[in-house]
Amino acid sequence: MKKRDIKDMDANVLKDSESKIREELMRLRLKKGFEQLENPKRIKVLKRNLARILTKAKLLEKGL
């Protein structure tokens, strides 16, 4: 997910994306404990996207 994609999202879409990313992160972390991941970098990318989404949501909340 690119920054420009997140920039165009509204609060509801951000909330949906946040929950989807959190679920995928949880699944990947569990999978990592039991077996080797195909793409371990995916966890890092998801965490970064989650931070971007949370930042944008906070800005929308504050009205900036």
Side-chain angles (χ1 to χ4, degrees):
M1 190 175 299
K2 301 285 183 179
K3 283 189 236 182
R4 65 178 170 263
D5 297 334
I6 294 172
K7 182 180 177 185
D8 298 332
M9 293 181 179
D10 65 345
N12 293 330
V13 177
L14 286 171
K15 195 165 197 100
D16 291 340
S17 296
E18 177 189 351
S19 64
K20 287 178 185 177
I21 289 175
R22 286 187 188 274
E23 287 175 16
E24 188 174 351
L25 266 172
M26 186 180 67
R27 274 190 258 112
L28 285 174
R29 286 180 182 142
L30 287 172
K31 195 174 183 182
K32 181 177 144 184
F34 293 111
E35 59 188 68
Q36 190 172 6
L37 296 176
E38 289 179 22
N39 188 2
K41 190 176 179 183
R42 179 81 177 134
I43 292 175
K44 182 179 180 179
V45 170
L46 285 173
K47 286 167 63 174
R48 190 172 288 160
N49 286 338
L50 181 62
R52 287 180 179 142
I53 287 172
L54 291 174
T55 301
K56 176 65 177 175
K58 187 60 86 170
L59 288 173
L60 285 175
E61 183 181 300
K62 289 185 176 185
L64 296 175

